[in-house]
Amino acid sequence: MKIVAFAASNSSKSINKQLAGFAASLVVDAEVELLDLNDFELPLFSQDKEQILGQPQLAKDFLQKLTNADAILVSFAEHNGTYSAAYKNLFDWCSRIDGKVFQNKPCVFLSTSPGARGGASVLAQAVNSAPYFAADIKGSLSVASFFDVFDATNQVLTEPKLLAELTQIMKLI
């Protein structure tokens, strides 16, 4: 099985990228490709830019990564209660190429933050909109208080209940 995992963030220190990488590693014998949104940086989407640029190659490349995957894992960063600008921009470009961005692939959606809600607002938005973009959501999980429950040195989730829940979700893809 090939899993494409990424954080919906362009932070070089993304805790969501750490969570996505760890979660994907829980799938036994999976080939994991951990993407970095910085590799797909595009101009701010607008219809005017689309008219000038057409369909940018980087958006096509990102969609091809999803096409080549058997399953998709996204960990959403929450910026002011919603998607990060970097993710939303890439998603907008991709959705203009193919509205079924997630291509009916099995998906796991996660979120985390240092705070008590763990990005729950953005995760709810992502899960609720998923059917419109052909995501077959197998599970979702918000991880609150990231720095208290994740060992950054060893890149592992340390809170037993969350680890058990995440492990169970990852078995579904």
Side-chain angles (χ1 to χ4, degrees), residues 116-127:
R117 292 187 27 83
S121 295
V122 72
L123 183 60
Q125 289 175 38
V127 168

Side-chain angles (χ1 to χ4, degrees), residues 63-108:
L63 282 172
Q64 189 61 50
K65 296 282 187 185
L66 301 185
T67 298
N68 295 342
D70 297 310
I72 300 166
L73 187 151
V74 185
S75 189
F76 291 90
E78 185 172 294
H79 290 193
N80 296 318
T82 192
Y83 302 108
S84 71
Y87 172 76
K88 181 68 168 79
N89 190 54
L90 177 58
F91 187 85
D92 287 345
W93 279 108
C94 289
S95 70
R96 298 292 284 200
I97 296 168
D98 183 351
K100 295 180 180 181
V101 174
F102 296 106
Q103 305 171 40
N104 297 304
K105 307 273 181 167
C107 295
V108 169

